[in-house]
Structure formats: structure tokens, C-alpha cells
Amino acid sequence: MLQALLSAIVDILLSAAWSAIVRFFGLENVVEIATAIFGLGCIVIGAVVLLLGH
């Protein structure tokens, strides 16, 4: 339980740091586009694996 709490705290701190860095450089749109492309890529890979039966 203590490990989960520490993990959540570290996750929040890293997320805040990443958000601050992105805002500092003005890359909000780039990050959103990259996230969308990564998500769509995962969906396509999953669909291909499903269709090929692996």
C-alpha cells in the first residue's frame, strides 16, 4: 500500500513537470497530435493482429 502511494505521488509530480515543460515551450498542439497518432497506431496494430489471428 505504501508503494502504491509513493508511485502515485511520483506519477503526479512527473506529470506536472512534463506539463510545465510542454507549456514553457508552447508545444501543446504537438503533444496532442503525437498522442492522437500514437493512439491511432495502437488501434491499427491491434486490428491487424486481430484480423491475422495472432
Side-chain angles (χ1 to χ4, degrees):
M1 184 152 176
L2 182 61
Q3 182 182 3
L5 176 62
L6 292 175
S7 176
I9 291 171
V10 169
D11 186 35
I12 290 170
L13 291 175
L14 288 176
S15 177
W18 175 249
S19 181
I21 291 170
V22 167
R23 278 192 215 118
F24 178 74
F25 289 111
L27 301 173
E28 292 95 353
N29 292 336
V30 174
V31 171
E32 286 185 29
I33 292 170
T35 304
I37 290 172
F38 178 76
L40 290 174
C42 288
I43 291 170
V44 168
I45 290 170
V48 169
V49 168
L50 178 68
L51 291 174
L52 294 177
H54 286 96

